[in-house]
Amino acid sequence: MIEISGVSRRYGEVHAVSGVDLRVHAGEVFGLIGHNGAGKSTLFKMMLGLVAASTGEIRIAGESVTGKRFREVRRGIGYLPENVVFHDNLTGLETLAFFARLKGVPRTQCAPLLERVGLAEAGGRRVRGYSKGMRQRLGFAQALLGEPRLLFLDEPTTGLDPEGIREFYEILRALRAGGTTIVLTSHILSEIQERVGRLAIMKSGRVQACGTVQALREAAHLPLRFELELAEGDEHCVQGALHGLGLPALRRQGGTVSVDCPRASKMAVLRALSALGSQVSDLRVREPSLEDIFLGYAS
């Protein structure tokens, strides 16, 4: 669906995006993460054809974003920017009707979309009275006009409460099931960890890594963490069981003993700990979180 080849964007001496190569497959949910200023929003704007690349090429659905036919392709794209701005004097329904007219979409889509994003009862109210979360929902409804086959969502859950975030991702699941390709950014890494198929980590305008969360875990060589609840004895029994495996020092917090280990040592550690038998009442193995992975690549 998206092919990015050697793309860069300069603003004078500033390299906002530098030599990016990416492929996003049709029907996948793809995450783009990075610090503020990493180049995510600039890359979004280039994929939308709003900002021209200084070098390289971007193709959407086989068409170059600088080509004559891209205007037609863009009709099948939805975009939710990071900062949503609407006319305060219009109602929610009037706002959506305004965008429907710009997109050449039947106005009959507006009311059902407001209901879909949870704004059915607020459709007749002026936007000036909307909360941040309600504005975000309205922006999402705008992005869904015309049943786009490709969605760009820049920090889409900003201002949403936990229920709103859950409802948002339920809609994304339904869209993906229908074949929609979704590219999103988020600073809430725990939120997207289990909700994207693949993701790219950007730093200083470059892609540092790309793949599934599990593939990035393994490539970053981050340690696993074993957490044990002891039924009998103390951490000395754990130290004895793990002696000779070359692991770092144990940590104890309350009744929990934890130790980090390289992924390659996982089974050896499990075998050693199983010998403790009833001395261990519970055992948890913690994989590195997406935040751990991000910090490992972005530091």
Side-chain angles (χ1 to χ4, degrees):
M1 176 61 77
I2 303 173
E3 300 173 88
I4 302 175
S5 304
V7 165
S8 299
R9 173 67 194 189
R10 296 185 301 274
Y11 294 97
E13 296 300 316
V14 177
H15 289 255
V17 174
S18 300
V20 168
D21 294 290
L22 274 180
R23 301 290 183 274
V24 178
H25 309 305
E28 78 170 323
V29 179
F30 189 89
L32 196 61
I33 64 176
H35 292 298
N36 290 332
K40 307 184 300 297
S41 293
T42 299
L43 188 58
F44 261 33
K45 291 174 183 176
M46 287 194 289
M47 288 189 283
L48 288 162
L50 302 176
V51 172
S54 301
T55 59
E57 183 181 35
I58 300 176
R59 303 183 74 86
I60 306 289
E63 298 295 332
S64 171
V65 297
T66 60
K68 294 181 178 179
R69 298 180 61 182
F70 183 65
R71 183 179 181 86
E72 187 61 33
V73 172
R74 193 157 57 183
R75 293 183 183 277
I77 298 176
Y79 174 46
L80 173 60
E82 181 176 2
N83 297 306
V84 184
V85 179
F86 298 116
H87 295 288
D88 283 350
N89 288 329
L90 297 180
T91 67
L93 185 58
E94 288 170 342
T95 298
L96 214 52
F98 169 76
F99 283 102
R101 185 174 180 183
L102 288 179
K103 290 186 175 183
V105 172
R107 185 170 177 169
T108 52
Q109 290 190 15
C110 297
L113 275 177
L114 286 178
E115 183 172 2
R116 189 175 190 183
V117 301
L119 288 178
E121 296 182 2
R125 291 164 49 189
R126 297 191 187 278
V127 174
R128 71 160 64 94
Y130 278 22
S131 66
K132 171 63 177 174
M134 293 171 70
R135 289 172 181 262
Q136 199 70 10
R137 289 171 184 260
L138 183 58
F140 187 35
Q142 170 275 136
L144 296 178
L145 280 167
E147 300 179 348
R149 305 307 297 165
L150 173 60
L151 268 177
F152 290 103
L153 306 172
D154 198 351
E155 299 293 338
T157 60
T158 300
L160 295 181
D161 58 23
E163 182 180 1
I165 292 172
R166 178 181 58 80
E167 292 171 351
F168 167 78
Y169 281 109
E170 285 178 354
I171 293 174
L172 287 199
R173 279 195 292 272
L175 291 170
R176 183 187 181 186
T180 303
T181 305
I182 301 163
V183 183
L184 62 87
T185 72
S186 178
H187 284 120
I188 309 175
L189 302 186
S190 60
E191 180 184 296
I192 68 170
Q193 178 169 324
E194 304 298 332
R195 290 170 165 136
V196 297
R198 293 187 303 134
L199 55 90
I201 299 174
M202 292 191 70
K203 178 184 177 183
S204 301
R206 298 182 181 275
V207 172
Q208 302 295 305
C210 181
T212 64
V213 172
Q214 186 60 31
L216 293 178
R217 280 191 183 117
E218 296 173 3
H221 303 294
L222 295 174
L224 303 170
R225 176 165 296 173
F226 285 80
E227 297 178 349
L228 297 91
E229 303 290 339
L230 299 180
E232 306 174 24
D234 56 27
E235 64 265 28
H236 292 99
C237 68
V238 181
Q239 287 176 339
L242 299 178
H243 180 70
L245 294 180
L247 302 179
L250 301 180
R251 292 182 298 275
R252 179 150 196 167
Q253 184 174 9
T256 301
V257 175
S258 64
V259 62
D260 292 342
C261 84
R263 187 173 296 275
S265 301
K266 176 181 179 180
M267 297 310 297
V269 171
L270 281 172
R271 285 192 293 268
L273 293 176
S274 66
L276 295 174
S278 61
Q279 290 178 289
V280 177
S281 61
D282 195 13
L283 170 64
R284 297 179 294 274
V285 182
R286 303 288 190 190
E287 288 274 8
S289 68
L290 181 53
E291 182 176 352
D292 295 329
I293 298 168
F294 171 68
L295 293 175
Y297 280 103
S299 59

